[in-house]
Each structure stands twice: as structure tokens, then as C-alpha cells.
Amino acid sequence: MAHDKATHTDDVEKLVEIIKDTKVAMLTTHGPDGLESRPLSVTEVGSDADVWFFAAASSDVAEQVSKDQEVNAAFSDDKCWVSLSGKANLVTDVAKKKELWNSAVAAFFSQEPESPEIVLIQMESDSAQYWENPGGVLSLAASWVKGKVTGEPARPGDSATVDL
């Protein structure tokens, strides 16, 4: 059953759970020719749905975030979808980089976390939308087909808009 507003705490907890389970986001930034998206591994998700990513300081994503902080991150698996909007900051604090550093991150970088070539992108989330269909894609398709046959609107699962 879809809903527009549930309790704020429940929605934020659900949102954080979906993001943690998904692990990779398509982060959209403002590039020189318009919007650009690329996949980034999620390093950490805060209880407030703030998300942390590692990036190379010389990368396009880091350069774009330094020029325009407005970003969107999209998360998807076969049962859940999230669109997260907010502001991104580049973080160069070595202690924070060491805190979040792990073997998966190390596999992508030849430098150590102390290197100035390694930065964190902290996405401070402002709002989000999520959709969840516990039955997965097949259940969603079946709901659409049933809706076409019966004339009833499809019931794809739960959704919410969350102000963070």
C-alpha cells in the first residue's frame, strides 16, 4: 500500500536500510555539458541518510563537486529504489579517511588514505524518495498486468518522500 507520509523516523530508518543493502550509487553531478552520473561504492551511511564515498582528488566527480555541491544519488536493486538529493562536500581530513578506509576501498586506489590524491565525498542528504516492492520485479510486472486487465491502478509496493 503506497503512502505519502509515514512517521519520519520509520521512513528514515527504511531509507538507510535500503541504501546500506544496495552498496553502489549512481552519483549525479553538474558537469561542463550538463548532468553526469557515475557509479560509486558507498563507504558509509549515517543514521540521517548522509552518504560517504571515496574518490580521487583529480577525478571529474571531485572537480564537479568542488564547483557545484548540488548532487543526486540513485540506488537500485531488484526490490528497492531510492533517489537521494542533497549537497556534497569534499573532505580531506586524514583521520576521517583512515576511519572509513577498508580493503574494498584499497583495491581501487594505489595510494594510502594519507595521500592528498584521496578524498572523501560526503553527501549531506536533504530529501529522498524511495520505492519498495518486496515481491521484486516479477511482482511489479504482475501488478501492472493485473491493473491493465482489471482497470484498477497497479499497486507496486510502498513508497515515501522523506525530508531529511
Side-chain angles (χ1 to χ4, degrees), residues 9-39:
T9 302
D10 289 345
D11 280 342
V12 174
E13 287 175 3
K14 174 58 72 179
L15 179 66
V16 168
E17 176 185 319
I18 293 169
I19 294 170
K20 283 183 177 180
D21 287 346
T22 307
K23 308 231 186 295
V24 174
M26 289 297 292
L27 186 69
T28 302
T29 57
H30 295 271
D33 297 319
L35 298 175
E36 293 184 17
S37 300
R38 82 276 297 144

Side-chain angles (χ1 to χ4, degrees), residues 88-157:
N89 300 297
L90 295 181
V91 177
T92 58
D93 179 66
V94 173
K96 187 65 176 178
K97 292 191 294 184
K98 285 181 174 181
E99 174 191 334
L100 298 180
W101 194 260
N102 60 54
S103 58
V105 174
F108 284 96
F109 296 100
S110 58
Q111 303 90 352
E112 295 297 317
E114 298 85 359
S115 171
E117 177 53 22
I118 307 293
V119 296
L120 285 163
I121 297 174
Q122 176 192 21
M123 181 177 177
E124 296 178 355
S125 304
D126 296 331
S127 65
Q129 290 182 288
Y130 72 81
W131 301 266
E132 181 180 40
N133 184 339
V137 174
L138 292 178
S139 172
L140 182 59
S143 176
W144 286 334
V145 169
K146 182 180 175 185
K148 283 289 195 187
V149 171
T150 65
E152 300 275 326
R155 302 271 184 237

Side-chain angles (χ1 to χ4, degrees), residues 30-97:
H30 295 271
D33 297 319
L35 298 175
E36 293 184 17
S37 300
R38 82 276 297 144
L40 291 178
S41 294
V42 174
T43 302
E44 182 175 86
V45 182
S47 61
D48 53 0
D50 285 358
V51 183
W52 292 81
F53 308 96
F54 273 98
S58 60
S59 66
D60 288 344
V61 68
E63 181 183 333
Q64 291 165 5
V65 164
S66 73
K67 291 179 180 175
D68 188 332
Q69 292 181 294
E70 185 179 14
V71 297
N72 181 272
F75 303 83
S76 177
D77 67 17
D78 65 338
K79 297 179 183 180
C80 303
W81 302 267
V82 172
S83 176
L84 192 63
S85 298
K87 303 279 186 241
N89 300 297
L90 295 181
V91 177
T92 58
D93 179 66
V94 173
K96 187 65 176 178
K97 292 191 294 184

